[in-house]
PDB file of all heavy atoms in Angstrom:
ATOM      1  N   LEU A  16      17.529 -47.408  22.786  1.00 78.00           N
ATOM      2  CA  LEU A  16      17.779 -48.065  24.109  1.00 78.00           C
ATOM      3  C   LEU A  16      16.543 -48.357  24.824  1.00 78.00           C
ATOM      4  O   LEU A  16      16.563 -48.718  26.018  1.00 78.00           O
ATOM      5  CB  LEU A  16      18.681 -47.253  24.882  1.00 78.00           C
ATOM      6  CG  LEU A  16      20.107 -46.970  24.283  1.00 78.00           C
ATOM      7  CD1 LEU A  16      20.914 -45.998  25.178  1.00 78.00           C
ATOM      8  CD2 LEU A  16      20.883 -48.213  24.057  1.00 78.00           C
ATOM      9  N   ASN A  17      15.356 -48.220  24.223  1.00 76.00           N
ATOM     10  CA  ASN A  17      14.045 -48.374  24.743  1.00 76.00           C
ATOM     11  C   ASN A  17      13.749 -47.473  25.941  1.00 76.00           C
ATOM     12  O   ASN A  17      13.081 -47.863  26.886  1.00 76.00           O
ATOM     13  CB  ASN A  17      13.829 -49.849  25.077  1.00 76.00           C
ATOM     14  CG  ASN A  17      13.663 -50.745  23.938  1.00 76.00           C
ATOM     15  OD1 ASN A  17      13.117 -50.330  22.912  1.00 76.00           O
ATOM     16  ND2 ASN A  17      14.137 -51.961  24.036  1.00 76.00           N
ATOM     17  N   LYS A  18      14.332 -46.305  25.876  1.00 77.00           N
ATOM     18  CA  LYS A  18      14.025 -45.283  26.873  1.00 77.00           C
ATOM     19  C   LYS A  18      12.916 -44.388  26.296  1.00 77.00           C
ATOM     20  O   LYS A  18      12.865 -44.145  25.113  1.00 77.00           O
ATOM     21  CB  LYS A  18      15.297 -44.435  27.125  1.00 77.00           C
ATOM     22  CG  LYS A  18      16.364 -45.143  27.923  1.00 77.00           C
ATOM     23  CD  LYS A  18      17.451 -44.223  28.284  1.00 77.00           C
ATOM     24  CE  LYS A  18      18.536 -44.928  29.116  1.00 77.00           C
ATOM     25  NZ  LYS A  18      19.580 -43.991  29.497  1.00 77.00           N
ATOM     26  N   LEU A  19      12.024 -44.020  27.206  1.00 75.00           N
ATOM     27  CA  LEU A  19      10.926 -43.166  26.844  1.00 75.00           C
ATOM     28  C   LEU A  19      11.417 -41.712  26.616  1.00 75.00           C
ATOM     29  O   LEU A  19      12.039 -41.180  27.476  1.00 75.00           O
ATOM     30  CB  LEU A  19       9.809 -43.222  27.892  1.00 75.00           C
ATOM     31  CG  LEU A  19       8.482 -42.555  27.588  1.00 75.00           C
ATOM     32  CD1 LEU A  19       7.833 -43.196  26.357  1.00 75.00           C
ATOM     33  CD2 LEU A  19       7.525 -42.627  28.718  1.00 75.00           C
ATOM     34  N   ARG A  20      11.127 -41.126  25.437  1.00 76.00           N
ATOM     35  CA  ARG A  20      11.617 -39.825  25.076  1.00 76.00           C
ATOM     36  C   ARG A  20      10.334 -38.985  24.638  1.00 76.00           C
ATOM     37  O   ARG A  20       9.360 -39.417  24.087  1.00 76.00           O
ATOM     38  CB  ARG A  20      12.607 -39.835  23.941  1.00 76.00           C
ATOM     39  CG  ARG A  20      13.785 -40.692  24.164  1.00 76.00           C
ATOM     40  CD  ARG A  20      14.759 -39.951  25.171  1.00 76.00           C
ATOM     41  NE  ARG A  20      15.884 -40.869  25.382  1.00 76.00           N
ATOM     42  CZ  ARG A  20      16.812 -40.553  26.193  1.00 76.00           C
ATOM     43  NH1 ARG A  20      16.759 -39.531  26.912  1.00 76.00           N
ATOM     44  NH2 ARG A  20      17.841 -41.415  26.353  1.00 76.00           N
ATOM     45  N   VAL A  21      10.463 -37.659  24.868  1.00 77.00           N
ATOM     46  CA  VAL A  21       9.469 -36.749  24.392  1.00 77.00           C
ATOM     47  C   VAL A  21       9.718 -36.347  22.896  1.00 77.00           C
ATOM     48  O   VAL A  21       8.783 -36.065  22.180  1.00 77.00           O
ATOM     49  CB  VAL A  21       9.468 -35.429  25.311  1.00 77.00           C
ATOM     50  CG1 VAL A  21       8.413 -34.455  24.812  1.00 77.00           C
ATOM     51  CG2 VAL A  21       9.155 -35.863  26.755  1.00 77.00           C
ATOM     52  N   LEU A  22      10.992 -36.345  22.511  1.00 75.00           N
ATOM     53  CA  LEU A  22      11.339 -35.953  21.194  1.00 75.00           C
ATOM     54  C   LEU A  22      11.492 -37.142  20.288  1.00 75.00           C
ATOM     55  O   LEU A  22      11.926 -38.225  20.657  1.00 75.00           O
ATOM     56  CB  LEU A  22      12.725 -35.299  21.215  1.00 75.00           C
ATOM     57  CG  LEU A  22      13.231 -34.511  20.041  1.00 75.00           C
ATOM     58  CD1 LEU A  22      12.276 -33.421  19.711  1.00 75.00           C
ATOM     59  CD2 LEU A  22      14.590 -33.869  20.378  1.00 75.00           C
ATOM     60  N   ASP A  23      10.951 -36.992  19.063  1.00 77.00           N
ATOM     61  CA  ASP A  23      11.004 -38.076  18.060  1.00 77.00           C
ATOM     62  C   ASP A  23      12.468 -38.461  17.801  1.00 77.00           C
ATOM     63  O   ASP A  23      13.352 -37.584  17.707  1.00 77.00           O
ATOM     64  CB  ASP A  23      10.347 -37.554  16.785  1.00 77.00           C
ATOM     65  CG  ASP A  23      10.206 -38.626  15.704  1.00 77.00           C
ATOM     66  OD1 ASP A  23      10.293 -39.842  16.038  1.00 77.00           O
ATOM     67  OD2 ASP A  23      10.057 -38.203  14.533  1.00 77.00           O
ATOM     68  N   PRO A  24      12.807 -39.718  17.661  1.00 76.00           N
ATOM     69  CA  PRO A  24      14.177 -40.178  17.528  1.00 76.00           C
ATOM     70  C   PRO A  24      14.819 -39.555  16.244  1.00 76.00           C
ATOM     71  O   PRO A  24      15.999 -39.151  16.250  1.00 76.00           O
ATOM     72  CB  PRO A  24      14.115 -41.677  17.362  1.00 76.00           C
ATOM     73  CG  PRO A  24      12.767 -42.073  18.021  1.00 76.00           C
ATOM     74  CD  PRO A  24      11.868 -40.905  17.864  1.00 76.00           C
ATOM     75  N   ASP A  25      14.079 -39.393  15.187  1.00 81.00           N
ATOM     76  CA  ASP A  25      14.685 -38.755  13.973  1.00 81.00           C
ATOM     77  C   ASP A  25      15.072 -37.387  14.220  1.00 81.00           C
ATOM     78  O   ASP A  25      16.104 -36.867  13.789  1.00 81.00           O
ATOM     79  CB  ASP A  25      13.644 -38.888  12.780  1.00 81.00           C
ATOM     80  CG  ASP A  25      13.440 -40.292  12.356  1.00 81.00           C
ATOM     81  OD1 ASP A  25      14.321 -41.166  12.559  1.00 81.00           O
ATOM     82  OD2 ASP A  25      12.318 -40.562  11.826  1.00 81.00           O
ATOM     83  N   VAL A  26      14.134 -36.621  14.924  1.00 82.00           N
ATOM     84  CA  VAL A  26      14.435 -35.204  15.188  1.00 82.00           C
ATOM     85  C   VAL A  26      15.607 -35.158  16.164  1.00 82.00           C
ATOM     86  O   VAL A  26      16.488 -34.238  16.002  1.00 82.00           O
ATOM     87  CB  VAL A  26      13.138 -34.540  15.770  1.00 82.00           C
ATOM     88  CG1 VAL A  26      13.530 -33.128  16.264  1.00 82.00           C
ATOM     89  CG2 VAL A  26      12.029 -34.548  14.804  1.00 82.00           C
ATOM     90  N   ALA A  27      15.702 -35.977  17.110  1.00 80.00           N
ATOM     91  CA  ALA A  27      16.827 -36.023  18.082  1.00 80.00           C
ATOM     92  C   ALA A  27      18.127 -36.263  17.330  1.00 80.00           C
ATOM     93  O   ALA A  27      19.129 -35.680  17.649  1.00 80.00           O
ATOM     94  CB  ALA A  27      16.571 -37.076  19.175  1.00 80.00           C
ATOM     95  N   GLN A  28      18.094 -37.239  16.417  1.00 84.00           N
ATOM     96  CA  GLN A  28      19.317 -37.496  15.609  1.00 84.00           C
ATOM     97  C   GLN A  28      19.738 -36.337  14.751  1.00 84.00           C
ATOM     98  O   GLN A  28      20.900 -35.971  14.732  1.00 84.00           O
ATOM     99  CB  GLN A  28      19.028 -38.765  14.717  1.00 84.00           C
ATOM    100  CG  GLN A  28      20.259 -39.109  13.882  1.00 84.00           C
ATOM    101  CD  GLN A  28      20.002 -40.234  12.829  1.00 84.00           C
ATOM    102  OE1 GLN A  28      18.830 -40.653  12.799  1.00 84.00           O
ATOM    103  NE2 GLN A  28      20.968 -40.711  12.223  1.00 84.00           N
ATOM    104  N   GLN A  29      18.761 -35.713  14.142  1.00 89.00           N
ATOM    105  CA  GLN A  29      19.069 -34.484  13.307  1.00 89.00           C
ATOM    106  C   GLN A  29      19.645 -33.373  14.184  1.00 89.00           C
ATOM    107  O   GLN A  29      20.548 -32.678  13.785  1.00 89.00           O
ATOM    108  CB  GLN A  29      17.823 -34.004  12.606  1.00 89.00           C
ATOM    109  CG  GLN A  29      17.399 -34.910  11.446  1.00 89.00           C
ATOM    110  CD  GLN A  29      16.122 -34.516  10.834  1.00 89.00           C
ATOM    111  OE1 GLN A  29      15.439 -33.568  11.335  1.00 89.00           O
ATOM    112  NE2 GLN A  29      15.668 -35.213   9.780  1.00 89.00           N
TER     113      GLN A  29
END
Side-chain angles (χ1 to χ4, degrees):
L16 300 175
N17 288 327
K18 289 187 177 181
L19 188 60
R20 302 287 180 183
V21 177
L22 192 60
D23 185 20
D25 294 333
V26 174
Q28 180 185 6
Q29 291 173 356

